[in-house]
Amino acid sequence: MEPQTQTRTEVDVDPELPSPPGRVPQGAARARSPRSPSKPMASLDSATLARRRALGAGAALLAGTALPACQLVTGKSAPTKAVDVPATIAPTFGFQSGAQLFVLARGPVTFHCYVAPESGVSASAYLIEFKDQLFAYDTQLTPALGRELRYYGNTLNKRFTRVIISHEHAEQWSGWSEFADLPAYAPRETEAVLAYSAPRLPPRPGVEIPRLAGVIAAGDETVAGVRAQFRLIRDAEAASIVTIGFAEQHVYLAGDVIYNRLHPFLGNNTVARWLAALDEVPAWASEATCTLLPGHGAPTNGSAVAEMRRYLQAAQAAFANFKSADEIEKALRTQFPDYGGTYLLCFGRDTALKRK
């Protein structure tokens, strides 16, 4: 599935969206597209880089233990029989920002999962590494986080060929300035939001509105021998979210259709439609043997689909039974006491109530 392309109009306005307390400091605005840092960042010390080289040589390093259910990078084909994937996967290492990295190697494709700290709303961005190239899936909430992600990607020594912006929310595209030298693609609904809404937001230093090279349509594409199934799931957390299925590798990149043990953003006031949208997730992606890559939180397995449905049903009941924001929040916190994501819970709840 090659992205459809056409001429785009550039917008020279810096956007802003409400940001959680303790937001990661942002870099100064730049007048030109960024280039790779010439010196290693403090967050990637010599030991970390050594571990990165070890990964490239064929080892999955997880604090001294092998990652369960994730094939080591040995050049062998992915196993034909799926294995159980743990609900909790340990990170490979962390960054100075507080972000964590998870590396999941599956035969001819490796998934590098960068999960922001809570100050970055625990948003998950991904680098999809094929034999001869890299895709970036989302660019984080701030240029600082995007810079960390891009620098790490540069250490993989593969050519970046595409940036995929999964949908219109700020944590998907606010780090785009660090990827501005690459062609970016997004759903048509996201293109419309970026063209109309984003320029009207207050400026934020260093943040640029993505200049899209084209829009994404649903379809299958073979990249370096790997089949990727691009789908657009509509009316879930956002108007349209790009998901990517790797059925042969038993990996499903769900984006913000699925959160992992975090309170989701309910501000679009589409809880009922989001529940219906979950039916569009492929059946194989709901299995415990599937590695599911969520839009917020760490990689998990397909059981996260059922857990997401349980949460949305509880949220639907809370909005129906309670009128005040405090009552809704208390109901959800009580039913999901071990969930993180306080900021998005409150922001989404308040936004949804205003739209009633």
Side-chain angles (χ1 to χ4, degrees), residues 84-89 258 260 285-293 298-305:
D84 286 339
V85 179
T88 300
I89 297 176
I258 303 293
N260 180 19
S286 301
E287 299 171 356
T289 54
C290 171
T291 299
L292 191 141
L293 306 180
T300 181
N301 62 30
S303 65
V305 179

Side-chain angles (χ1 to χ4, degrees), residues 95-178:
F95 293 88
Q96 188 178 46
S97 67
Q100 290 185 314
L101 181 77
F102 302 76
V103 179
L104 313 178
R106 292 297 174 85
V109 59
T110 299
F111 302 89
H112 303 265
C113 316
Y114 176 99
V115 182
E118 188 171 358
S119 59
V121 295
S122 302
S124 302
Y126 297 89
L127 302 180
I128 308 172
E129 180 183 2
F130 301 97
K131 180 179 179 181
D132 59 354
Q133 59 187 289
L134 282 170
F135 287 2
Y137 179 98
D138 290 337
T139 65
Q140 284 297 328
L141 179 66
T142 69
L145 294 173
R147 188 174 309 121
E148 206 168 56
L149 175 65
R150 179 64 189 268
Y151 177 73
Y152 170 76
N154 289 345
T155 71
L156 300 176
N157 296 317
K158 295 284 178 70
R159 177 175 57 99
F160 276 99
T161 59
R162 190 180 308 178
V163 176
I164 297 166
I165 298 173
S166 65
H167 63 284
E168 69 265 25
H169 292 156
E171 70 269 26
Q172 273 58 58
W173 55 264
S174 294
W176 176 81
S177 58
E178 300 297 324

Side-chain angles (χ1 to χ4, degrees), residues 9-67:
T9 301
E10 296 186 6
V11 184
D12 296 324
V13 179
D14 292 331
E16 167 73 285
L17 286 181
S19 301
R23 183 171 64 195
V24 173
Q26 302 156 355
R30 280 179 263 189
R32 62 180 186 277
S33 298
R35 58 182 180 178
S36 304
S38 58
K39 297 182 180 180
M41 295 173 62
S43 58
L44 290 176
D45 56 23
S46 58
T48 297
L49 289 174
R51 284 196 284 179
R52 179 64 204 94
R53 286 192 291 271
L55 281 169
L61 301 180
L62 297 176
T65 60
L67 177 64

